[in-house]
Coordinates of all heavy atoms in Angstrom, one line a residue:
Q293 N -48.1 0.6 -58.6 CA -48.6 0.1 -57.3 C -47.8 -1.1 -56.8 O -47.7 -1.4 -55.6 CB -50.1 -0.2 -57.4 CG -50.4 -1.3 -58.4 CD -51.8 -1.9 -58.3 OE1 -52.5 -1.6 -57.2 NE2 -52.3 -2.5 -59.3
F294 N -47.2 -1.8 -57.8 CA -46.4 -3.0 -57.5 C -45.0 -2.6 -57.0 O -44.5 -3.2 -56.0 CB -46.3 -3.9 -58.7 CG -47.6 -4.4 -59.2 CD1 -48.2 -3.8 -60.3 CD2 -48.3 -5.4 -58.6 CE1 -49.4 -4.1 -60.8 CE2 -49.6 -5.8 -59.0 CZ -50.1 -5.2 -60.1
D295 N -44.5 -1.5 -57.5 CA -43.2 -1.0 -57.1 C -43.3 -0.5 -55.6 O -42.4 -0.9 -54.8 CB -42.8 0.3 -57.9 CG -42.5 -0.1 -59.3 OD1 -42.2 -1.2 -59.7 OD2 -42.6 0.9 -60.2
T296 N -44.3 0.2 -55.3 CA -44.4 0.7 -53.9 C -44.8 -0.4 -52.9 O -44.3 -0.4 -51.8 CB -45.5 1.8 -53.8 OG1 -46.8 1.3 -54.3 CG2 -45.1 3.1 -54.6
H297 N -45.5 -1.4 -53.4 CA -45.7 -2.6 -52.6 C -44.4 -3.3 -52.2 O -44.2 -3.6 -51.0 CB -46.6 -3.6 -53.3 CG -47.0 -4.8 -52.4 ND1 -47.9 -4.7 -51.4 CD2 -46.5 -6.1 -52.5 CE1 -48.0 -5.9 -50.8 NE2 -47.2 -6.8 -51.5
I298 N -43.6 -3.5 -53.2 CA -42.3 -4.2 -52.9 C -41.4 -3.3 -52.0 O -40.8 -3.8 -51.1 CB -41.5 -4.5 -54.2 CG1 -42.4 -5.5 -55.1 CG2 -40.2 -5.1 -54.0 CD1 -42.7 -6.8 -54.4
L299 N -41.4 -2.0 -52.3 CA -40.6 -1.1 -51.4 C -41.1 -1.2 -50.0 O -40.3 -1.2 -49.0 CB -40.7 0.4 -51.9 CG -40.0 0.7 -53.2 CD1 -40.4 2.1 -53.6 CD2 -38.5 0.6 -53.1
A300 N -42.4 -1.3 -49.8 CA -43.0 -1.3 -48.4 C -42.6 -2.6 -47.7 O -42.2 -2.5 -46.5 CB -44.5 -1.1 -48.5
I301 N -42.8 -3.7 -48.3 CA -42.6 -5.0 -47.6 C -41.1 -5.3 -47.4 O -40.8 -6.1 -46.5 CB -43.3 -6.2 -48.3 CG1 -42.7 -6.4 -49.7 CG2 -44.8 -5.9 -48.4 CD1 -43.1 -7.8 -50.3
T302 N -40.3 -4.6 -48.2 CA -38.8 -4.8 -48.0 C -38.2 -3.8 -47.1 O -37.0 -3.7 -46.9 CB -38.1 -4.9 -49.3 OG1 -38.3 -3.7 -50.0 CG2 -38.5 -6.1 -50.1
G303 N -39.1 -2.9 -46.5 CA -38.6 -1.9 -45.5 C -37.9 -0.7 -46.1 O -37.2 0.0 -45.4
Q304 N -38.1 -0.5 -47.4 CA -37.4 0.7 -48.1 C -38.3 1.9 -47.9 O -39.4 1.9 -47.5 CB -37.3 0.4 -49.6 CG -36.6 -1.0 -49.9 CD -35.2 -1.1 -49.4 OE1 -34.4 -0.1 -49.4 NE2 -34.8 -2.3 -49.0
Q305 N -37.7 3.1 -48.2 CA -38.3 4.4 -48.2 C -39.3 4.5 -49.3 O -39.0 4.1 -50.5 CB -37.3 5.5 -48.3 CG -37.8 6.9 -48.0 CD -38.1 7.1 -46.5 OE1 -37.6 6.4 -45.7 NE2 -38.9 8.1 -46.2
L306 N -40.5 4.9 -49.0 CA -41.5 5.2 -50.1 C -41.4 6.6 -50.6 O -41.0 7.5 -49.9 CB -42.9 5.0 -49.5 CG -43.3 3.6 -49.0 CD1 -44.8 3.7 -48.5 CD2 -43.2 2.6 -50.1
P307 N -41.8 6.8 -51.9 CA -41.9 8.1 -52.4 C -42.9 8.9 -51.7 O -44.0 8.3 -51.3 CB -42.2 7.9 -53.9 CG -42.9 6.6 -53.9 CD -42.2 5.8 -52.9
Q308 N -42.7 10.2 -51.4 CA -43.7 11.0 -50.7 C -44.9 11.2 -51.5 O -46.1 11.2 -51.0 CB -43.1 12.3 -50.3 CG -42.1 12.2 -49.1 CD -41.6 13.5 -48.6 OE1 -41.8 14.6 -49.2 NE2 -40.9 13.5 -47.5
E309 N -44.7 11.4 -52.8 CA -45.8 11.7 -53.7 C -45.7 10.8 -55.0 O -44.6 10.5 -55.4 CB -45.9 13.1 -54.2 CG -46.1 14.1 -53.1 CD -47.6 14.1 -52.6 OE1 -48.4 13.6 -53.4 OE2 -47.8 14.5 -51.4
I310 N -46.8 10.3 -55.5 CA -46.8 9.6 -56.8 C -47.2 10.6 -57.8 O -48.2 11.3 -57.8 CB -47.9 8.5 -56.8 CG1 -47.5 7.4 -55.7 CG2 -48.0 7.9 -58.1 CD1 -46.2 6.7 -56.0
E311 N -46.3 10.7 -58.8 CA -46.5 11.6 -59.9 C -47.3 10.9 -61.1 O -46.8 9.9 -61.6 CB -45.2 12.2 -60.5 CG -45.4 13.2 -61.6 CD -44.1 13.7 -62.2 OE1 -43.0 13.4 -61.6 OE2 -44.2 14.5 -63.2
L312 N -48.4 11.5 -61.5 CA -49.1 11.0 -62.6 C -48.4 11.6 -63.9 O -48.5 12.8 -64.1 CB -50.6 11.3 -62.6 CG -51.4 10.8 -63.7 CD1 -51.5 9.3 -63.8 CD2 -52.9 11.4 -63.7
L313 N -47.7 10.8 -64.6 CA -46.9 11.4 -65.7 C -47.8 11.9 -66.8 O -47.5 12.8 -67.5 CB -46.0 10.3 -66.3 CG -45.0 9.7 -65.3 CD1 -44.3 8.5 -65.9 CD2 -44.1 10.7 -64.7
K314 N -49.0 11.2 -67.0 CA -49.9 11.6 -68.0 C -51.3 11.0 -67.7 O -51.3 9.9 -67.1 CB -49.5 11.1 -69.4 CG -49.8 12.0 -70.6 CD -49.1 11.5 -71.8 CE -49.3 12.4 -73.0 NZ -48.6 11.9 -74.2
P315 N -52.4 11.7 -68.0 CA -53.7 11.0 -67.8 C -53.8 9.7 -68.6 O -53.1 9.5 -69.6 CB -54.7 12.0 -68.4 CG -54.0 13.4 -68.2 CD -52.5 13.1 -68.5
A316 N -54.5 8.8 -68.1 CA -54.5 7.4 -68.6 C -55.9 6.8 -68.5 O -56.7 7.1 -67.7 CB -53.5 6.6 -67.9
I317 N -56.1 5.8 -69.5 CA -57.2 4.9 -69.4 C -56.7 3.5 -69.4 O -55.9 3.1 -70.3 CB -58.2 5.1 -70.6 CG1 -58.7 6.6 -70.6 CG2 -59.4 4.2 -70.6 CD1 -59.6 6.9 -71.7
M318 N -57.2 2.7 -68.5 CA -56.9 1.3 -68.5 C -58.1 0.5 -68.8 O -59.2 0.7 -68.3 CB -56.4 0.9 -67.1 CG -55.8 -0.6 -67.0 SD -57.0 -1.9 -66.8 CE -57.8 -1.5 -65.3
M319 N -58.0 -0.5 -69.7 CA -59.1 -1.4 -70.1 C -58.8 -2.8 -69.7 O -57.7 -3.3 -70.1 CB -59.4 -1.3 -71.6 CG -59.6 0.1 -72.1 SD -61.2 0.9 -71.7 CE -62.4 -0.1 -72.6
N320 N -59.7 -3.5 -69.1 CA -59.4 -4.9 -68.9 C -59.6 -5.7 -70.2 O -60.4 -5.3 -71.0 CB -60.5 -5.5 -67.9 CG -59.9 -5.6 -66.5 OD1 -58.7 -5.7 -66.3 ND2 -60.7 -5.7 -65.5
L321 N -58.8 -6.7 -70.3 CA -58.9 -7.6 -71.5 C -59.4 -8.9 -71.0 O -58.7 -9.7 -70.5 CB -57.6 -7.7 -72.2 CG -57.0 -6.5 -72.9 CD1 -55.6 -6.7 -73.3 CD2 -57.9 -6.1 -74.1
L322 N -60.7 -9.2 -71.2 CA -61.3 -10.5 -71.0 C -61.0 -11.4 -72.2 O -60.5 -11.0 -73.2 CB -62.8 -10.4 -70.7 CG -63.2 -9.4 -69.6 CD1 -64.7 -9.5 -69.4 CD2 -62.5 -9.7 -68.3
G323 N -61.3 -12.7 -72.0 CA -61.1 -13.6 -73.1 C -61.8 -13.1 -74.4 O -61.2 -13.2 -75.5
K324 N -63.0 -12.7 -74.2 CA -63.8 -12.2 -75.4 C -63.2 -11.0 -76.0 O -63.3 -10.7 -77.3 CB -65.3 -12.0 -75.1 CG -65.5 -11.0 -74.0 CD -67.0 -11.0 -73.5 CE -67.2 -10.2 -72.3 NZ -68.6 -10.3 -71.8
D325 N -62.5 -10.1 -75.2 CA -61.8 -9.0 -75.8 C -60.6 -9.4 -76.6 O -60.3 -8.7 -77.6 CB -61.4 -8.0 -74.6 CG -62.6 -7.5 -73.8 OD1 -63.6 -7.2 -74.4 OD2 -62.5 -7.6 -72.6
L326 N -59.9 -10.4 -76.1 CA -58.7 -10.9 -76.9 C -59.2 -11.4 -78.2 O -58.6 -11.2 -79.3 CB -58.0 -12.0 -76.1 CG -57.1 -11.5 -74.9 CD1 -56.3 -12.7 -74.4 CD2 -56.2 -10.4 -75.3
D327 N -60.3 -12.2 -78.2 CA -60.9 -12.7 -79.5 C -61.2 -11.5 -80.4 O -61.0 -11.7 -81.6 CB -62.2 -13.5 -79.2 CG -61.9 -14.7 -78.4 OD1 -60.8 -15.2 -78.4 OD2 -62.9 -15.2 -77.8
L328 N -61.7 -10.4 -79.9 CA -62.1 -9.3 -80.7 C -60.9 -8.4 -81.2 O -60.9 -8.0 -82.3 CB -63.1 -8.4 -79.9 CG -63.6 -7.1 -80.6 CD1 -64.5 -7.5 -81.7 CD2 -64.3 -6.3 -79.5
L329 N -59.9 -8.2 -80.3 CA -58.9 -7.2 -80.5 C -57.5 -7.7 -80.8 O -56.6 -6.8 -81.1 CB -58.9 -6.2 -79.3 CG -60.2 -5.5 -78.9 CD1 -60.0 -4.8 -77.6 CD2 -60.5 -4.5 -80.0
E330 N -57.3 -8.9 -80.6 CA -55.9 -9.4 -80.7 C -55.1 -9.0 -81.9 O -54.0 -8.6 -81.9 CB -55.9 -11.0 -80.6 CG -54.6 -11.6 -80.3 CD -54.7 -13.0 -79.9 OE1 -55.8 -13.6 -79.9 OE2 -53.7 -13.7 -79.7
N331 N -55.8 -9.0 -83.1 CA -55.2 -8.6 -84.3 C -55.0 -7.1 -84.4 O -54.3 -6.6 -85.4 CB -56.0 -9.1 -85.5 CG -56.1 -10.6 -85.6 OD1 -55.1 -11.3 -85.2 ND2 -57.1 -11.2 -86.2
Q332 N -55.6 -6.3 -83.5 CA -55.4 -4.9 -83.6 C -54.2 -4.3 -82.7 O -53.9 -3.2 -82.8 CB -56.7 -4.2 -83.1 CG -57.9 -4.5 -84.0 CD -59.1 -3.7 -83.5 OE1 -59.0 -2.5 -83.2 NE2 -60.3 -4.3 -83.6
F333 N -53.7 -5.2 -81.9 CA -52.6 -4.7 -81.0 C -51.4 -4.1 -81.8 O -50.9 -3.1 -81.4 CB -52.1 -5.9 -80.1 CG -53.1 -6.4 -79.1 CD1 -53.0 -7.6 -78.5 CD2 -54.2 -5.6 -78.7 CE1 -53.9 -8.1 -77.6 CE2 -55.1 -6.0 -77.8 CZ -55.0 -7.3 -77.2
S334 N -51.0 -4.8 -82.8 CA -49.9 -4.3 -83.6 C -50.2 -3.0 -84.4 O -49.3 -2.2 -84.7 CB -49.4 -5.3 -84.6 OG -50.4 -5.7 -85.5
E335 N -51.5 -2.7 -84.6 CA -51.9 -1.5 -85.3 C -52.1 -0.3 -84.4 O -52.3 0.8 -84.9 CB -53.2 -1.8 -86.0 CG -53.2 -3.0 -87.0 CD -54.6 -3.4 -87.5 OE1 -55.5 -2.6 -87.2 OE2 -54.7 -4.4 -88.2
N336 N -52.0 -0.5 -83.1 CA -52.1 0.5 -82.1 C -51.0 0.6 -81.1 O -51.1 0.1 -80.0 CB -53.5 0.3 -81.4 CG -54.7 0.5 -82.2 OD1 -55.1 1.6 -82.5 ND2 -55.2 -0.6 -82.7
P337 N -49.8 1.1 -81.6 CA -48.6 1.1 -80.7 C -48.8 1.9 -79.4 O -48.0 1.7 -78.5 CB -47.5 1.6 -81.6 CG -48.3 2.4 -82.7 CD -49.5 1.7 -82.9
E338 N -49.8 2.8 -79.4 CA -50.0 3.6 -78.2 C -50.7 2.8 -77.1 O -50.8 3.2 -75.9 CB -50.9 4.8 -78.5 CG -52.4 4.6 -78.8 CD -52.6 4.1 -80.2 OE1 -51.7 3.8 -81.0 OE2 -53.8 4.0 -80.6
W339 N -51.2 1.6 -77.5 CA -51.8 0.7 -76.5 C -50.7 -0.1 -75.8 O -49.9 -0.8 -76.4 CB -52.7 -0.3 -77.1 CG -54.0 0.2 -77.7 CD1 -54.4 1.5 -77.7 CD2 -55.0 -0.6 -78.4 NE1 -55.6 1.6 -78.4 CE2 -56.0 0.3 -78.8 CE3 -55.1 -1.9 -78.7 CZ2 -57.1 -0.1 -79.5 CZ3 -56.3 -2.3 -79.4 CH2 -57.3 -1.4 -79.7
H340 N -50.5 0.1 -74.5 CA -49.6 -0.7 -73.7 C -50.3 -1.9 -73.2 O -51.1 -1.9 -72.3 CB -49.1 0.1 -72.5 CG -48.3 1.4 -72.9 ND1 -47.0 1.4 -73.1 CD2 -48.7 2.6 -73.1 CE1 -46.6 2.6 -73.4 NE2 -47.6 3.4 -73.4
V341 N -50.0 -3.0 -73.9 CA -50.8 -4.3 -73.7 C -50.0 -5.2 -72.8 O -48.8 -5.5 -72.9 CB -51.0 -5.0 -75.1 CG1 -51.8 -6.3 -74.9 CG2 -51.8 -4.1 -76.0
H342 N -50.7 -5.7 -71.8 CA -50.2 -6.7 -70.9 C -51.1 -8.0 -71.0 O -52.3 -7.9 -70.8 CB -50.3 -6.2 -69.4 CG -49.4 -5.0 -69.2 ND1 -48.3 -5.1 -68.4 CD2 -49.6 -3.7 -69.5 CE1 -47.8 -3.9 -68.3 NE2 -48.5 -3.0 -69.0
I343 N -50.4 -9.1 -71.4 CA -51.1 -10.4 -71.4 C -50.6 -11.2 -70.3 O -49.3 -11.4 -70.1 CB -50.9 -11.1 -72.8 CG1 -51.3 -10.2 -73.9 CG2 -51.6 -12.4 -72.8 CD1 -52.8 -9.8 -73.9
Y344 N -51.4 -11.7 -69.4 CA -51.0 -12.4 -68.2 C -50.4 -13.7 -68.4 O -49.7 -14.2 -67.5 CB -52.2 -12.4 -67.2 CG -52.8 -11.1 -66.9 CD1 -54.2 -10.9 -66.7 CD2 -52.0 -9.9 -66.8 CE1 -54.7 -9.7 -66.4 CE2 -52.5 -8.7 -66.5 CZ -53.9 -8.6 -66.3 OH -54.4 -7.3 -66.0
G345 N -50.7 -14.4 -69.5 CA -50.1 -15.7 -69.7 C -50.9 -16.9 -69.1 O -50.4 -17.9 -68.8
K346 N -52.2 -16.7 -68.9 CA -53.1 -17.8 -68.5 C -53.3 -18.7 -69.6 O -53.6 -18.3 -70.7 CB -54.4 -17.2 -67.9 CG -54.3 -16.3 -66.7 CD -55.6 -15.7 -66.3 CE -55.4 -14.8 -65.1 NZ -56.7 -14.2 -64.7
E347 N -53.2 -20.0 -69.3 CA -53.3 -21.0 -70.4 C -54.7 -21.1 -71.0 O -54.8 -21.2 -72.2 CB -52.9 -22.4 -69.8 CG -51.4 -22.7 -69.7 CD -51.1 -24.1 -69.6 OE1 -52.0 -24.9 -69.2 OE2 -50.0 -24.5 -69.9
M348 N -55.7 -21.1 -70.2 CA -57.1 -21.3 -70.7 C -57.8 -20.0 -70.9 O -58.0 -19.2 -70.0 CB -57.9 -22.2 -69.8 CG -59.2 -22.6 -70.4 SD -60.1 -23.8 -69.3 CE -59.0 -25.2 -69.4
R349 N -58.2 -19.7 -72.2 CA -58.9 -18.4 -72.5 C -60.4 -18.7 -72.3 O -60.9 -19.5 -73.0 CB -58.5 -18.0 -73.9 CG -59.2 -16.7 -74.3 CD -59.0 -16.2 -75.7 NE -57.6 -16.0 -76.0 CZ -57.1 -15.5 -77.1 NH1 -58.0 -15.1 -78.1 NH2 -55.8 -15.3 -77.3
K350 N -61.0 -17.9 -71.5 CA -62.5 -18.0 -71.3 C -63.1 -16.6 -71.6 O -62.4 -15.6 -71.3 CB -62.8 -18.5 -69.9 CG -62.4 -19.9 -69.5 CD -62.7 -20.3 -68.1 CE -62.2 -21.6 -67.7 NZ -62.6 -22.0 -66.3
A351 N -64.3 -16.6 -72.0 CA -64.9 -15.4 -72.5 C -64.9 -14.3 -71.4 O -64.6 -13.1 -71.7 CB -66.4 -15.6 -72.9
N352 N -65.2 -14.6 -70.2 CA -65.3 -13.6 -69.1 C -64.1 -13.7 -68.1 O -64.2 -13.1 -67.0 CB -66.6 -13.7 -68.4 CG -67.8 -13.4 -69.3 OD1 -67.8 -12.3 -69.9 ND2 -68.7 -14.3 -69.4
R353 N -63.0 -14.3 -68.5 CA -61.9 -14.4 -67.6 C -60.9 -13.3 -67.9 O -60.7 -12.9 -69.1 CB -61.2 -15.8 -67.8 CG -60.1 -16.1 -66.8 CD -59.4 -17.4 -67.2 NE -58.5 -17.8 -66.0 CZ -57.6 -18.8 -66.1 NH1 -57.5 -19.4 -67.2 NH2 -56.9 -19.1 -65.1
K354 N -60.3 -12.7 -66.9 CA -59.4 -11.6 -67.1 C -58.1 -12.2 -67.6 O -57.4 -13.0 -67.0 CB -59.0 -10.9 -65.7 CG -60.2 -10.2 -65.2 CD -59.9 -9.6 -63.8 CE -61.1 -8.9 -63.2 NZ -60.8 -8.4 -61.8

Side-chain angles (χ1 to χ4, degrees):
Q293 64 168 341
F294 303 100
D295 295 336
T296 55
H297 181 75
I298 297 300
L299 290 172
I301 64 167
T302 58
Q304 309 296 325
Q305 189 75 18
L306 294 180
Q308 289 187 346
E309 296 288 338
I310 296 297
E311 181 183 355
L312 182 66
L313 304 175
K314 211 172 191 181
I317 300 178
M318 188 281 298
M319 308 286 294
N320 259 339
L321 292 170
L322 307 182
K324 57 190 173 187
D325 299 316
L326 288 187
D327 293 339
L328 176 69
L329 299 171
E330 196 168 359
N331 294 331
Q332 297 184 39
F333 292 161
S334 61
E335 300 169 8
N336 293 276
E338 72 279 9
W339 292 1
H340 296 272
V341 179
H342 295 253
I343 303 300
Y344 301 145
K346 298 177 181 178
E347 277 198 339
M348 187 175 295
R349 181 185 298 189
K350 298 179 182 179
N352 293 306
R353 189 183 192 191
K354 294 176 184 176

